[in-house]
Amino acid sequence: MNTHNLLILICILYAMLLFAVAFAADRAARKGRGAWLSSPLIYTLSLSIYCTGWTFYGAVGFAARSGLEFVTIYLGPTLVMVGWWWILRKLVRIGRSQRITSIADMLSSRYGKSNTLAVFVTVFAVIGTTPYIALQLQSVTLSFAVFSGQDPTGMTIKNLQQPALWVAAGLVLFTILFGTRNLDANERHHGVVMAIAVEAVVKLLALLAVGVFVVWGLGGGLNGTLQTIDASELAEWRVPGGRWVGLTMLAAAAFLCLPRMFQVLVVENQNEGHLRTAAWAFPTYVMLMSLFVVPIAAIGLKLLPAGSNPDLFVLTLPLHGGQDALAIVSFIGGFSSATSMVIVAAIALSTMVSNHIVMPIWLRLTGGSLMKSGDVRGVALLARRFSIGAIVMLGYTYFHFSSGGAALAAIGLVSFAGVAQFLPALIGGLFWRGATRLGALAGLGVGFVLWLYCLFLPSFGAGVIVPVSVMADGPWGISWLRPYALFGTQGMDPLIHAVMWSIMLNTAAFLAVSIVTFPRPVERLQGAQFVNVFEHSSRAGHWTGGLAQSEDLLIMTQRILGPEEAQALFSGEARRQGLSGYLPEPSTEFIERLERELSGSVGAATAHAMVSQIVGRATVSVEDLLAVADETAQIMEYSSRLEAKSAELARTARQLREANDKLTQLSEQKDAFLGQVSHELRTPMTSIRAFSEILRDGDDLSRTDQQRYSSIIHGESLRLTRLLDDLLDLSVLESGRASLNAQEGVLGDVLDRAVAATGGSGPEFRIERDPAAERIVLHTDIDRLAQVFINLISNARKYCDAPEPALHIDVRDEAGALRVDFIDNGSGISVPDQAVVFEKFVRIGQTRSGGAGLGLAICREIMNRLGGDVSYLPGQRGAAFRVTLPHNLRIAAQ
Amino acid sequence: MTPPGRQAPGGGPSRRGVFLERRTYRRRRMADAAGLLPLIGAVLLMIPLLWQGGGVTKTSHVMFYVFGIWALLAVLSALVSGILDHDRHADADADTDTRAQDKNDAPPPPGTMG
């Protein structure tokens, strides 16, 4: 087997290992055995995606070219991490309290949930990151090339595009599989994080192994290595002060602003306390990563032939020393660095693209008309998956067209400089309440244009995009506008020159425009909440303007989160408010909480827009303005508290009124029922009496007449018995004296029986079922359960008013319980009637059939006795009832 | 109903004494130290730039210095974070104090954190 094939085999095995790790971690987390998955150590290791393929290979090259300067790339993040108390603590707190999904969401949320800003940041981030992904693919390709250089068959660079494409495709697959499992971006991607942690360990060990081999195997021990360094061209310490300081600051800024770093630092953070560990563990990690860089560079320069690429010393030195195995370990280290970066960057960017670009467009195009459970969720997930593929493939395309170009080597720092433009708006937003949306837009715009003009476009080389004449003399011969010598600042390092001007003018524009513009109320409110995040409880916008319909909110939430989660959320809130069922009181707190939950899935701006569609405009209440305006706090606070109290009183009064209405309604129904029962008892009684009198007195009755009259008497007395049976049944169940006859049966059989007993499924009444899901063995009172099913099905048959009535029976086996939903396609039950439908003697609407209104009451009693429940399920299209059976009733699924 | 003003729980600075409890005081100073660390680090890491003035400085010496400072920063950071963490567990810190009351009460007036 030649080296090339061996490498491919190793790559595939390694990829399989990663898939297995991610899969196992996801499984463990879902089974609740994943406590160790959210340990501070894993968090710290996940931060190591800062060290990409570019740093793994490129650091040595950097050191070979300019000595110790390379450490600035690691010193910046070290300082940020050591200073976590200042910025990171605040970022993480805000990220958690506002359920931030990305850096674009962060800025958008801070500046009044502005989607314009989010779109801008997203586009910027994609432009800045694409070349970086290309760089990772190139590093993998180059490392392949090193091995094939050893290979007698020989490979050309062109052939090596093939592995890059395969790597890209594998990464897309991995990221889609493990990165888009859940819609909620705040939910941790356990599989991905775990795989990244493994990769972090692999790349550190690989680099350390190479370092140890180079120092003690090739360099002749510590002293020998030091002598080599002192004798090499790196011996003299001469680093331009501007670059030393500038690069450190640039790396620090990029550490905070890179979308992938923001993803692991803030979005995937589970616990603020993890920062305390990362504060020392991350600096230690990067220190170890850079420990052997200078020795490797110096020894590589000494031992390897002149002209060999210093970027690949990490690979070529072990090969030179005849250590093929070590070279392969090193190759895997580089492969790890490159892949983990691409995975996280793709997740972060795809979240931004889908939440801030695709979703708003989709919502606008459809006008929110497609109302189906989970449809928004489906679109969002699909958008995220497509974005992942598109972003990685964009990186591949970039790599393909600039293949082997020197432009790529410099792109790492160019990319850093690009994302650093977010810094003024980010830091300003965290610490200065005066920062406004327009200020942020102006600053970002200025920074972006300058970065493009002074750094990004010229980085392709003079004459490629920017004409040579412009580079030399400036546009239209204005020498003050030369890309590398703006405003006459000649002789500066181009990178430092661009960073200095872009950040300086960015900050200036941000500050100036912020000072002269006036923020909107939402902006001021968000500003106060971000800046004073440690003082205020986290409260986003304030919803007033009438009580929204809980049912509409539920329908919307089902669209985004899917029916399960939405119903759990709503019923949880209802329980918290002391209500039963699925619809909580739409209080301000609840709507705020709901908006935050939704923003975890689709971003703050979209969630805000969707909630306001239903609830109406968000207004900023006195209470919230208080947070904005410190002045006259006392009086305003008092009045706002009064206001809050009176709102609370109004709510309580409303609840009391509702309770009273319900009681009155019940009492009326009871009276009506007594009348009904008397009537029901009297009618048969009357006819029984009349016909028995005829039988008694009529001597000349024919045989047929006698038979007819006595069968009428018999029928009427049967009707009486049935009514009395129902009443008796109910009273026995209510008093808890009913005995249960537990036996085993298959759920499907019980349903079959119920369907058959109610007249079966036919064209006049269609019943849709899923026999596969119904193969569940139950251990319960089968007859009683069948009684409940019969009742529900016959109710649907009686009351469903659709032109083509149909009943859908949905069986779902969930962790806690078995659920059987009966959903018909009629017009459903109105909200006020939902509250009383299970009460005794209640008949909804006009009585079409002769029931006494006891059926559902009996059903509920039966289910209570069986340890389950039956409830009305709002938010479906027709009337829907949910029968819940506790888990211990089932024995085993077949 | 009495107006809930400064007397209210979680109230303003007037309620808080001039002197803090010993533990809270220590915690505050540790937070100061945590804030100072990056500044100290930045200054110490700039120092090698001053060595370029006269004569030749060896890269290897600077390397020892930089990595020494790096390790020192990591150790100091571990110490400070450790103490902050320990204090956080030892007693409820001021932040969570006020936040806990927020839930029972209307939000406190801004700027109550001394």
Side-chain angles (χ1 to χ4, degrees):
Chain A
M1 187 189 289
N2 64 23
T3 332
H4 186 247
N5 288 347
L6 180 69
L7 276 191
I8 289 177
L9 183 70
I10 287 174
C11 278
I12 291 173
L13 285 178
Y14 185 70
M16 278 164 63
L17 173 78
L18 286 186
F19 273 86
V21 164
F23 184 71
D26 252 358
R27 234 174 107 89
R30 246 176 308 134
K31 289 199 169 165
R33 287 191 277 106
W36 56 277
L37 285 172
S38 11
S39 76
L41 194 68
I42 303 280
Y43 176 71
T44 310
L45 286 176
S46 74
L47 296 186
S48 74
I49 52 151
Y50 180 75
C51 308
T52 63
W54 174 59
T55 41
F56 188 87
Y57 295 118
V60 173
F62 201 151
R65 289 184 202 102
S66 29
L68 208 50
E69 195 182 281
F70 84 94
V71 288
T72 51
I73 301 299
Y74 297 107
L75 287 178
T78 299
L79 291 178
V80 172
M81 215 57 231
V82 165
W84 63 282
W85 189 260
W86 276 23
I87 298 175
L88 285 178
R89 190 172 65 113
K90 202 164 190 179
L91 260 183
V92 168
R93 176 72 67 88
I94 292 172
R96 287 165 58 77
S97 71
Q98 302 277 333
R99 316 221 355 122
I100 298 295
T101 59
S102 64
I103 175 116
D105 195 31
M106 177 90 186
L107 290 174
S108 135
S109 187
R110 161 63 181 85
Y111 296 104
K113 304 183 181 177
S114 146
N115 205 45
T116 324
L117 198 58
V119 170
F120 194 86
V121 173
T122 305
V123 171
F124 201 156
V126 170
I127 295 177
T129 311
T130 306
Y132 212 109
I133 293 176
L135 186 59
Q136 307 307 314
L137 295 174
Q138 192 195 31
S139 74
V140 174
T141 312
L142 280 181
S143 54
F144 261 110
V146 166
F147 282 95
S148 54
Q150 302 274 309
D151 195 339
T153 54
M155 303 284 290
T156 62
I157 289 281
K158 275 288 164 228
N159 291 349
L160 286 164
Q161 299 225 326
Q162 202 75 25
L165 185 62
W166 281 110
V167 169
L171 286 172
V172 170
L173 181 70
F174 181 90
T175 316
I176 288 177
L177 262 184
F178 296 102
T180 58
R181 256 210 181 166
N182 27 36
L183 181 60
D184 192 336
N186 285 117
E187 237 169 82
R188 203 162 184 191
H189 303 105
H190 286 284
V192 173
V193 170
M194 197 60 220
I196 286 165
V198 170
E199 297 204 285
V201 175
V202 168
K203 67 192 177 199
L204 179 63
L205 290 182
L207 201 57
L208 287 180
V210 172
V212 167
F213 166 72
V214 167
V215 170
W216 279 278
L218 296 177
L222 210 54
N223 284 330
T225 308
L226 283 178
Q227 278 161 17
T228 314
I229 294 175
D230 287 344
S232 73
E233 51 200 87
L234 309 174
E236 200 187 331
W237 159 251
R238 31 158 223 281
V239 171
R243 265 183 83 85
W244 182 261
V245 177
L247 285 180
T248 307
M249 278 165 40
L250 181 61
F255 185 69
L256 286 170
C257 299
L258 279 169
R260 65 171 197 277
M261 288 319 295
F262 192 89
Q263 175 84 18
V264 286
L265 264 175
V266 180
V267 181
E268 302 264 356
N269 178 295
Q270 290 280 291
N271 184 342
E272 221 172 286
H274 290 175
L275 282 177
R276 290 166 214 273
T277 306
W280 59 267
F282 182 73
T284 314
Y285 184 93
V286 287
M287 187 183 79
L288 291 175
M289 280 297 277
S290 37
L291 198 55
F292 289 110
V293 168
V294 171
I296 294 174
I299 292 173
L301 286 174
K302 183 181 151 198
L303 294 183
L304 294 174
S308 44
N309 186 353
D311 280 334
L312 296 167
F313 280 176
V314 181
L315 285 175
T316 43
L317 270 178
L319 285 175
H320 176 83
Q323 297 284 339
D324 283 7
L326 186 62
I328 286 177
V329 169
S330 161
F331 168 79
I332 289 180
F335 187 71
S336 290
S337 321
T339 49
S340 53
M341 178 271 162
V342 177
I343 290 168
V344 181
I347 291 180
L349 288 178
S350 71
T351 309
M352 284 157 71
V353 169
S354 93
N355 281 359
H356 303 302
I357 296 180
V358 180
M359 288 313 291
I361 291 176
W362 184 79
L363 284 174
R364 182 159 300 177
L365 285 185
T366 61
S369 59
L370 191 64
M371 297 284 261
K372 213 178 92 212
S373 281
D375 63 339
V376 177
R377 177 194 165 82
V379 171
L381 277 178
L382 198 67
R384 222 170 269 182
R385 286 176 186 148
F386 269 111
S387 318
I388 287 173
I391 286 161
V392 176
M393 284 307 147
L394 205 62
Y396 174 77
T397 316
Y398 190 99
F399 161 74
H400 185 81
F401 286 110
S402 61
S403 180
L408 267 185
I411 208 79
L413 285 172
V414 173
S415 181
F416 273 28
V419 293
Q421 303 305 327
F422 301 151
L423 193 72
L426 182 69
I427 298 296
L430 286 185
F431 294 98
W432 184 40
R433 291 212 329 224
T436 69
R437 184 177 67 100
L438 291 174
L441 274 172
L444 279 172
V446 168
F448 181 59
V449 168
L450 281 174
W451 171 74
L452 270 185
Y453 181 67
C454 296
L455 198 59
F456 187 66
L457 298 181
S459 77
F460 293 93
V464 178
I465 293 182
V466 185
V468 181
S469 63
V470 172
M471 293 300 290
D473 307 318
W476 307 289
I478 307 171
S479 66
W480 267 39
L481 293 180
R482 276 175 294 165
Y484 282 166
L486 218 52
F487 308 118
T489 46
Q490 295 196 27
M492 276 183 85
D493 179 78
L495 176 74
I496 298 301
H497 168 268
V499 170
M500 182 193 82
W501 281 120
S502 60
I503 295 280
M504 212 157 77
L505 294 180
N506 175 341
T507 313
F510 168 64
L511 294 178
V513 176
S514 288
I515 286 170
V516 297
T517 52
F518 199 82
R520 294 173 305 169
V522 188
E523 265 178 82
R524 299 182 68 183
L525 188 61
Q526 288 292 94
Q529 266 163 4
F530 274 54
V531 174
N532 303 329
V533 66
F534 294 113
E535 279 110 86
H536 293 297
S537 53
S538 52
R539 291 157 59 86
H542 210 93
W543 298 102
T544 55
L547 290 166
Q549 286 296 316
S550 288
E551 188 154 5
D552 290 341
L553 285 173
L554 175 59
I555 291 171
M556 180 196 68
T557 313
Q558 284 182 0
R559 297 178 63 196
I560 297 178
L561 301 179
E564 311 294 320
E565 269 180 68
Q567 284 159 19
L569 178 73
F570 273 64
S571 61
E573 178 68 20
R575 254 199 313 285
R576 214 178 57 76
Q577 292 180 359
L579 303 168
S580 65
Y582 290 91
L583 296 180
E585 192 72 18
S587 62
T588 317
E589 292 80 29
F590 173 59
I591 297 176
E592 279 170 9
R593 203 183 124 208
L594 182 66
E595 191 193 328
R596 265 204 307 281
E597 290 290 333
L598 297 184
S599 69
S601 294
V602 291
T606 309
H608 189 73
M610 290 195 76
V611 171
S612 49
Q613 228 176 29
I614 289 177
V615 183
R617 267 174 58 83
T619 53
V620 179
S621 77
V622 180
E623 201 173 306
D624 295 318
L625 276 177
L626 252 183
V628 181
D630 278 12
E631 313 82 29
T632 66
Q634 280 249 21
I635 294 170
M636 287 173 71
E637 184 198 348
Y638 178 43
S639 76
S640 84
R641 283 192 188 187
L642 278 182
E643 221 169 81
K645 285 251 158 62
S646 83
E648 204 181 308
L649 281 177
R651 242 192 336 271
T652 317
R654 214 170 76 89
Q655 277 163 349
L656 280 176
R657 241 193 333 271
E658 267 172 20
N660 187 36
D661 285 350
K662 195 170 156 186
L663 283 175
T664 320
Q665 210 178 342
L666 278 179
S667 133
E668 277 168 6
Q669 276 163 352
K670 207 155 202 161
D671 289 346
F673 170 75
L674 279 178
Q676 176 89 25
V677 165
S678 320
H679 180 75
E680 296 275 335
L681 288 175
R682 240 188 77 176
T683 323
M685 273 304 187
T686 316
S687 53
I688 288 173
R689 208 180 64 208
F691 285 108
S692 54
E693 273 167 10
I694 295 173
L695 281 177
R696 186 191 63 195
D697 303 335
D699 303 326
D700 49 352
L701 281 176
S702 68
R703 180 97 192 118
T704 43
D705 277 350
Q706 270 185 20
Q707 233 164 21
R708 197 158 59 86
Y709 295 150
S710 50
S711 65
I712 288 174
I713 292 173
H714 184 246
E716 291 298 324
S717 50
L718 276 184
R719 212 171 112 195
L720 267 178
T721 321
R722 220 168 31 236
L723 183 63
L724 292 173
D725 275 350
D726 273 359
L727 281 170
L728 207 60
D729 206 11
L730 192 61
S731 80
V732 165
L733 281 165
E734 276 186 335
S735 62
R737 281 181 285 120
S739 59
L740 294 178
N741 175 23
Q743 65 207 94
E744 277 179 30
V746 179
L747 178 65
D749 294 346
V750 184
L751 283 168
D752 285 343
R753 211 169 107 191
V755 170
T758 50
S761 173
E764 80 291 347
F765 187 72
R766 208 152 34 77
I767 298 183
E768 298 158 1
R769 292 171 55 188
D770 174 15
E774 293 167 2
R775 276 203 301 269
I776 294 172
V777 179
L778 301 168
H779 183 80
T780 184
D781 190 329
I782 297 294
D783 294 332
R784 286 295 197 180
L785 190 60
Q787 192 185 342
V788 173
F789 289 163
I790 289 172
N791 207 303
L792 292 176
I793 297 174
S794 64
N795 271 357
R797 204 176 249 283
K798 270 188 258 175
Y799 298 112
C800 181
D801 51 4
E804 286 176 13
L807 177 72
H808 180 72
I809 302 179
D810 186 31
V811 178
R812 208 165 292 177
D813 188 9
E814 281 175 6
L818 177 67
R819 289 177 178 172
V820 188
D821 291 349
F822 295 82
I823 303 167
D824 72 29
N825 59 351
S827 55
I829 298 178
S830 66
V831 178
D833 284 339
Q834 286 170 18
V836 294
V837 73
F838 285 104
E839 306 297 342
K840 274 176 285 181
F841 325 128
V842 171
R843 279 182 285 187
I844 300 299
Q846 296 302 315
T847 315
R848 273 193 296 161
S849 52
L854 289 174
L856 283 176
I858 292 177
C859 285
R860 169 162 278 188
E861 287 302 328
I862 291 176
M863 289 316 297
N864 285 346
R865 288 284 294 154
L866 295 183
D869 191 25
V870 53
S871 55
Y872 188 75
L873 189 64
Q876 311 302 319
R877 245 168 280 163
F881 290 88
R882 167 169 289 176
V883 175
T884 316
L885 287 166
H887 225 241
N888 54 11
L889 287 190
R890 334 171 7 213
I891 301 177
Q894 280 179 337
Chain B
M1 196 202 267
T2 40
R6 289 293 180 213
Q7 300 90 333
S14 59
R15 203 178 127 264
R16 203 161 271 156
V18 179
F19 298 105
L20 294 159
E21 201 215 336
R22 194 183 170 80
R23 204 173 252 164
T24 319
Y25 180 86
R26 198 169 70 122
R27 190 190 138 78
R28 293 265 167 97
R29 297 296 81 80
M30 271 302 130
D32 291 348
L36 266 178
L37 264 185
L39 294 182
I40 297 171
V43 169
L44 286 177
L45 289 171
M46 296 307 148
I47 285 180
L49 292 177
L50 303 174
W51 300 345
Q52 301 187 78
V56 173
T57 314
K58 283 183 184 170
T59 294
S60 50
H61 290 179
V62 181
M63 212 169 90
F64 276 114
Y65 176 81
V66 168
F67 279 89
I69 296 294
W70 209 332
L72 182 74
L73 279 178
V75 169
L76 284 179
S77 177
L79 280 178
V80 171
S81 304
I83 294 174
L84 274 171
D85 198 28
H86 180 76
D87 274 12
R88 194 177 57 126
H89 289 305
D91 61 349
D93 71 336
D95 289 4
T96 49
D97 240 347
T98 359
R99 290 170 69 76
Q101 281 162 1
D102 286 356
K103 283 175 191 149
N104 309 327
D105 234 301
T112 51
M113 297 298 299

